Amino acid sequence: MTTRIATAIVVPEQSLAEYGVRHEQMNRAMRESIAAHGGRNLSIFAAPDLGVVFMYVEVDDVEIWNSSAQSSATLEWWKDMSDIMPTNDDLSPIATDLPLVFHLDIDAREANAEA
């Protein structure tokens, strides 16, 4: 079963452009770690006026996904990103998990059939 995970991550507005560039240029080890820990359909949305980005990812096993925080690729990524965003003592981003409030899957064929 797919679990949708959303997280708000503190990224100052003045760092947002560089944050985007670094993600576009994400190293192979980090991309492989995301996939190896079951992450797919990862998207990041910005809310510059709030000083946060919102990360969305789909996973099948939350425990496996959460274990990615201990991978060498993630630890190195956090270190590399720490100069443009506030972090916790372990260099992990300051973030808040966002609980799912609502989700709606609509099958286009069903929607068109009912129209």
Side-chain angles (χ1 to χ4, degrees):
M1 182 174 122
T2 298
T3 300
R4 294 166 181 85
I5 297 174
T7 306
I9 303 168
V10 177
V11 178
E13 185 175 3
Q14 65 270 21
S15 297
L16 193 54
E18 179 63 19
Y19 183 89
V21 167
R22 291 186 189 187
H23 279 79
E24 288 292 330
Q25 299 172 350
M26 182 184 294
N27 64 51
R28 184 171 152 186
M30 188 61 193
R31 290 175 187 268
E32 289 175 353
S33 181
I34 290 167
H37 289 90
R40 62 182 184 282
N41 295 328
L42 189 146
S43 299
I44 299 174
F45 302 88
D49 52 329
L50 299 177
V52 297
V53 296
F54 298 93
M55 184 199 71
Y56 169 86
V57 65
E58 295 175 354
V59 303
D60 289 327
D61 188 318
V62 174
E63 190 172 316
I64 291 172
W65 174 254
N66 288 342
S67 74
S68 70
Q70 301 308 313
S71 74
S72 59
T74 297
L75 296 174
E76 186 65 27
W77 179 256
W78 289 348
K79 180 181 171 190
D80 292 346
M81 296 295 288
S82 67
D83 66 324
I84 63 166
M85 57 194 291
T87 65
N88 296 301
D89 290 341
D90 65 355
L91 299 182
S92 64
I94 295 175
T96 301
D97 291 334
L98 303 173
L100 181 65
V101 175
F102 177 76
H103 175 78
L104 176 64
D105 276 326
I106 297 177
D107 183 305
R109 292 167 292 173
E110 286 180 27
N112 289 334
E114 293 176 9

